């Protein structure tokens, strides 16, 4: 099988939404009238973002999920994506699993594969997603990192830290009971992009971003963009570790410090972090219900710069929690 048979067999499907899909030198996409395009790329590299032996179906899912998560963070509606793929060899079983996981998530969000590139090389997956955001009279309704105001509440969606817990367990740092490992591993390998919540937050959230490298590091980008500071209540954040509710937790050998590290520094959550004035609290709960995505308040935006972590007694924790950085 050659490069073009591979594209034909595993990736080419009739264009539905796109004006022109796979097969020509460019794809053609018509964004809805009166909207802006939201565009984002994410690359997954073997050994860095995933283990070599990971199930190709979950890898297909995750490669698209991490990109859709960026659209969710901006309140954008997914339209289409491109896929640049470097493969060491043609492995049909791998390609079948990968494309199955990829298209299952793509179809769930009405996001169409419209092109890409295929080359031989160390396994590397780069996806670019295209979404749309209403822009009446040229004014975009996209959620940005820069709108947080002093006094705003800080919310996160879903759960935090379980992906890191799974990663540490797979690396042998923790020994989790099978059911706990299974659920945490699903969070690591098959994150759910919070598209519906992102759409529901338009007009409500003052700022938003998605969490990919760990809460404490990621929030700093939002604070910097908004020129504000924040207080996070670590007990509320710790509550977000889904594994903590697990009956077998006390036997898993993970102390509070380790759990807190997962929640504050763990990457790969792909949840939304957003801010909103307290007056929107009731509307936010409606948005959460309508999008079937739980949300939780974990802190408050301050006028004074800096990030403060408070424990359940209001005592400030030392800031030794760091985030993932590829070059640090
Ligand atoms: P070009 O030479 O112009 O870069 P290619 O010959 O590499 O184009 O690709 C042929 C067509 O197949 C193009 O429409 C391209 O977008 C598409 N394509 C290539 N690789 C992929 C892929 N992995 N997934 C989806 N479409 C792809
Ligand atoms: Mg090419």
């Amino acid at each position: 099988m050659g490069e073009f048979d591979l594209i034909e067999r595993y990736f080419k499907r009739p264009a539905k939404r796109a004006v022109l899909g796979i097969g020509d030198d460019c794809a053609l996409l018509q964004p809805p009238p009166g909207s802006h395009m939201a565009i984002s790329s994410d690359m997954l590299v073997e050994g860095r973002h995933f283990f070599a032996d990971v199930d190709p179906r979950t890898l297909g899912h995750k490669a698209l999920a991490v990109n859709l998560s960026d659209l969710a963070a901006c309140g954008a509606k997914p339209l289409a994506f491109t896929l640049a793929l470097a493969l060491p060899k043609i492995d049909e079983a791998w390609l079948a699993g990968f494309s199955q996981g990829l298209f299952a998530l793509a179809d769930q969000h009405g996001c169409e594969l419209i092109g890409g590139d295929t080359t031989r090389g160390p396994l590397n997956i780069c996806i670019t997603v295209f979404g749309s955001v209403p822009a009446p009279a040229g004014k975009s309704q996209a959620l940005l990192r820069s709108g947080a105001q002093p006094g705003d509440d800080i919310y996160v969606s879903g759960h935090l830290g379980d992906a890191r817990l799974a990663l540490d367990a797979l690396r042998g740092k923790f020994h989790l009971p099978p059911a706990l490992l299974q659920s945490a591993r699903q969070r690591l390998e098959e994150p759910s992009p919070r598209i519906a919540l992102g759409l529901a937050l338009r007009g409500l959230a003052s700022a938003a971003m998605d969490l990919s490298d760990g809460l404490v590091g990621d929030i700093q980008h939002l604070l910097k963009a908004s020129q504000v500071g924040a207080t996070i209540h670590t007990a509320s954040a710790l509550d977000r570790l889904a594994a903590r509710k697990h009956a077998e937790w006390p036997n898993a050998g993970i102390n509070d410090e380790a759990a807190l590290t997962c929640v504050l520094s763990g990457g790969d959550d792909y949840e939304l972090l957003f801010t909103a004035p307290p007056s929107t609290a009731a509307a936010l709960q409606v948005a959460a219900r309508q999008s079937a995505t739980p949300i939780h308040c974990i802190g408050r935006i301050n006028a004074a710069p800096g990030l403060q972590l408070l424990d359940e007694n209001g005592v400030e924790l030392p800031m030794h929690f760091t985030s993932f950085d590829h070059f640090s």
Side-chain angles (χ1 to χ4, degrees), residues 31-38 74-77 131-144 199 202:
S35 65
H36 285 170
M37 283 268 238
C74 290
K77 187 176 183 319
S132 68
V133 185
K139 199 179 170 316
S140 165
Q141 293 177 352
L143 302 172
L144 303 179
L199 295 176
R202 286 199 310 231

Side-chain angles (χ1 to χ4, degrees), residues 3 116-118:
E3 176 187 334
D117 198 21
T118 307

Side-chain angles (χ1 to χ4, degrees), residues 255-296:
N255 60 25
D256 269 8
E257 176 75 13
L260 208 51
T261 299
C262 290
V263 167
L264 297 180
S265 303
D268 275 334
D269 287 324
Y270 299 104
E271 294 291 356
L272 298 188
L273 171 81
F274 60 96
T275 60
S279 59
T280 59
L284 288 174
Q285 291 306 329
V286 173
R289 261 200 312 281
Q290 281 173 348
S291 58
T293 312
I295 60 169
H296 302 271

